[in-house]
């Protein structure tokens, strides 16, 4: 009985170790390693070394995951287009997170503006409507649950005809005052957030 218990425990530890090292192994198999980026309130994410971190203070952090045509131009910012990335936003960004720059409320989605915005995926299109497609609690590191919302958005032309669809995924941590926002459905982001660490 004792031997079986030890064997079962060893097998469980092996599965746990494989699970924890899987993201790092996946990055390594693509020819790159990982790096850690420390954010506000002690949140640390482990991301591929190829991703670029752009900080404008602690409240506007953008992690660029692929091509970003606006980087280094005057158009670079939250309301730009075509920049494969996600945001980690703090209190100053949350204070202006709704239309007419009111304070962010997760039940409405993050969209600071007073007018029609550019489509995140094309400078030739505009943001159309969006609707709630999913919500719930999601793990962001040990002991932290985020209020998660996925908004199904559209991009429209000048005649308001729908030309593109996109998702805006939001992980909101109200106690830590952090919002992680992704408009590119990054396939790695959920696991990166789940495996985040806090200090």
């Amino acid at each position: 009985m004792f031997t079986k218990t030890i064997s079962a425990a060893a097998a469980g530890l092996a599965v746990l170790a494989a699970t924890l090292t899987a993201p790092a192994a996946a990055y390594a198999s693509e020819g790159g390693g990982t790096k850690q980026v420390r954010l506000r309130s002690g949140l640390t994410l482990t991301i591929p070394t190829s991703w670029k971190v752009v900080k404008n203070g602690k409240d506007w952090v953008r992690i660029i995951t692929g091509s970003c045509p606006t980087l280094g131009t005057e158009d670079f910012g939250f309301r730009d287009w075509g920049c494969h990335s996600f945001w980690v936003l703090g209190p100053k960004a949350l204070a202006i997170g709704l239309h007419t720059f009111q304070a962010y409320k997760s039940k409405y989605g993050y969209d600071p503006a007073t007018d029609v915005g550019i489509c995140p995926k094309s400078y030739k299109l505009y943001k159309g409507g969006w609707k709630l497609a999913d919500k719930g609690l999601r793990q962001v590191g040990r002991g932290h649950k985020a209020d998660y919302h996925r908004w199904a958005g559209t991009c429209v032309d000048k005649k308001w005809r729908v030309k593109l669809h996109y998702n805006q995924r939001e992980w909101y941590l109200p106690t830590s005052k952090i919002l992680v926002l992704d408009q590119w459905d990054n396939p790695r982001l959920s696991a990166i957030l789940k495996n985040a660490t806090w200090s």
Side-chain angles (χ1 to χ4, degrees):
M1 179 71 169
F2 185 68
T3 306
K4 286 183 181 177
T5 303
I6 291 177
S7 297
L13 288 173
V15 169
L16 177 61
T19 302
L20 293 175
T21 59
Y27 304 145
S29 70
E30 294 175 5
T34 61
K35 63 184 176 185
Q36 292 189 325
V37 56
R38 184 173 166 80
L39 302 160
R40 66 176 311 106
S41 300
L43 174 63
T44 299
L45 303 181
T46 300
I47 62 172
T49 54
S50 60
W51 292 3
K52 181 174 181 142
V53 179
V54 179
K55 293 185 178 183
N56 185 4
K58 291 183 177 180
D59 294 313
W60 294 89
V61 178
R62 192 175 204 175
I63 300 178
I64 300 172
T65 61
S67 70
C68 185
T70 59
L71 183 62
T73 73
E74 64 182 13
D75 294 323
F76 184 76
F78 184 77
R79 296 184 66 182
D80 65 7
W81 55 271
C83 186
H84 293 252
S85 60
F86 64 90
W87 290 88
V88 182
L89 304 172
K92 289 180 183 175
L94 294 171
I96 58 164
L98 294 182
H99 275 295
T100 67
F101 302 109
Q102 297 177 56
Y104 172 74
K105 292 182 177 71
S106 60
K107 65 182 179 179
Y108 298 123
Y110 191 86
D111 191 26
T114 56
D115 56 4
V116 176
I118 296 294
C119 170
K121 298 196 173 189
S122 172
Y123 71 93
K124 296 179 180 179
L125 300 173
Y126 304 95
K127 280 185 176 180
W130 61 5
K131 63 181 179 180
L132 183 63
D134 191 16
K135 69 176 183 174
L137 295 176
R138 298 291 187 274
Q139 198 74 37
V140 178
R142 185 179 220 172
H144 291 77
K145 295 269 190 186
D147 183 13
Y148 173 81
H149 288 80
R150 179 170 62 85
W151 302 93
T154 59
C155 293
V156 298
D157 64 14
K158 290 180 180 178
K159 294 184 178 180
W160 289 93
R161 295 175 296 198
V162 175
K163 296 296 182 178
L164 287 175
H165 294 269
Y166 71 98
N167 287 308
Q168 179 163 305
R169 300 185 298 166
E170 301 179 4
W171 291 259
Y172 178 48
L173 296 144
T175 302
S176 305
K177 294 183 171 48
I178 294 172
L179 175 67
V180 178
L181 187 149
D182 171 36
Q183 295 174 321
W184 290 91
D185 284 322
N186 188 291
R188 297 177 177 174
L189 185 53
S190 292
I192 286 170
L193 293 175
K194 189 174 182 180
N195 292 311
T197 59
W198 295 84
S199 59

